[in-house]
Amino acid sequence: MRLGNPPAKRLLTNDLDEIVSVVAGTYCAHSIQSTGSARSNSAGFELVRPGPQPIVELAYGRAVRVDAGSFPGLMLMQTCLDGAGSVDQGSQSSELRRGQTVPLSPSVETQLQFDARFSQRSVRLEIERVEALCSRWLNVPALDRPLRFALLPFSAMLEQAWNQAVNLIISYSRSGILLPSSATANLDEFLVSLVLTQHPHNFSDDLKRPANSLPPRLIREDRKSTRLNSSHITI
């Protein structure tokens, strides 16, 4: 497994190890195997937008196979800009095709394969923000298990809305416009809201239920939290 350097803002190089190190510094330690010759153009990495929900554009410039281990602490919305690839997470698999976005969930054994033309734009969602918003909508203090998205491409409608929102954020970032922190937070929450409401995950059915008909496991979690909180109250 490779440990990374702090992420560069932009990097063009013929050195695959250099790209791997920068990617590891942005996401997680991983191993990589070249499965084909390099293209004439260099591999490229760009941190388009830093912050708690960073946006990265990346191309390895050659066919590669990536073992990302358990994908620790990463909830990644990966859009294929060119070329093709595939991803395996646990027992699920998905093709990566141009113009499609596939969500990758954290703490799941993850392997990816990209052809030489593959380039991607990835948005790393803040896991705490995603799970906090989901629990707020469910009216429970915390989720009883980690949130996992279905390893499927976005629907056409969600893809269009997602790209428009991400392109808006990128346009602000590349123009050097510094948005107020409240506006940035609202944009980040909008991205989270889109995927929570429009893409299937393991809490989708719960979110469709009326607030007063939550499943027993979430009711038990809510009562447990209430008891713990009340035990700390003194008069």
Side-chain angles (χ1 to χ4, degrees):
M1 303 295 280
R2 297 179 184 273
L3 298 178
N5 295 324
K9 178 71 175 177
R10 189 172 187 181
L11 176 66
L12 293 175
T13 180
N14 289 316
D15 187 341
L16 184 60
D17 286 341
E18 191 174 9
I19 284 286
V20 170
S21 181
V22 173
V23 172
T26 306
Y27 292 146
C28 67
H30 61 285
S31 61
I32 192 166
Q33 177 185 356
S34 177
T35 58
S37 58
R39 300 181 71 197
S40 57
N41 55 318
S42 300
F45 170 95
E46 182 180 2
L47 181 61
V48 181
R49 183 226 194 190
Q53 294 195 160
I55 300 174
V56 164
E57 292 188 356
L58 170 67
Y60 286 102
R62 68 189 71 194
V64 295
R65 184 178 293 116
V66 179
D67 185 345
S70 63
F71 220 57
L74 283 175
M75 185 174 283
L76 213 60
M77 307 294 113
Q78 186 177 94
T79 302
C80 176
L81 301 178
D82 196 9
S86 62
V87 56
D88 297 306
Q89 282 208 301
S91 60
Q92 298 185 76
S93 299
S94 179
E95 297 297 313
L96 303 171
R97 300 187 184 279
R98 184 176 180 178
Q100 292 184 337
T101 301
V102 174
L104 309 184
S105 298
S107 304
V108 184
E109 290 297 320
T110 301
Q111 293 81 39
L112 306 103
Q113 190 158 329
F114 307 135
D115 69 15
R117 294 176 55 237
F118 187 85
S119 63
Q120 62 171 283
R121 173 188 293 161
S122 296
V123 181
R124 178 178 181 171
L125 296 185
E126 193 174 12
I127 297 172
E128 294 78 7
R129 184 192 297 271
V130 177
E131 295 190 342
L133 184 59
C134 185
S135 65
R136 190 163 80 234
W137 286 350
L138 290 169
N139 197 29
V140 295
L143 301 182
D144 64 338
R145 63 194 189 281
L147 192 145
R148 298 279 186 272
F149 285 102
L151 193 68
L152 299 168
F154 284 177
S155 67
M157 185 178 297
L158 175 56
E159 190 70 57
Q160 182 179 12
W162 177 261
N163 283 328
Q164 288 177 350
V166 172
N167 285 335
L168 175 64
I169 293 172
I170 289 174
S171 67
Y172 280 123
S173 180
R174 285 182 168 160
S175 66
I177 297 174
L178 185 62
L179 294 175
S181 57
S182 58
T184 300
N186 285 335
L187 285 172
D188 284 338
E189 186 157 311
F190 178 68
L191 292 180
V192 171
S193 300
L194 275 179
V195 292
L196 275 181
T197 57
Q198 302 301 316
H199 192 82
H201 52 81
N202 56 339
F203 286 93
S204 293
D205 290 341
D206 297 330
L207 288 173
K208 294 174 184 176
R209 301 173 190 265
N212 60 354
S213 62
L214 290 176
R217 59 182 175 75
L218 287 175
I219 294 173
R220 287 194 298 270
E221 185 72 19
D222 187 29
R223 288 174 177 169
K224 177 182 176 182
S225 177
T226 301
R227 287 197 303 270
L228 289 173
N229 289 336
S230 62
S231 69
H232 288 51
I233 297 175
T234 58
I235 300 178

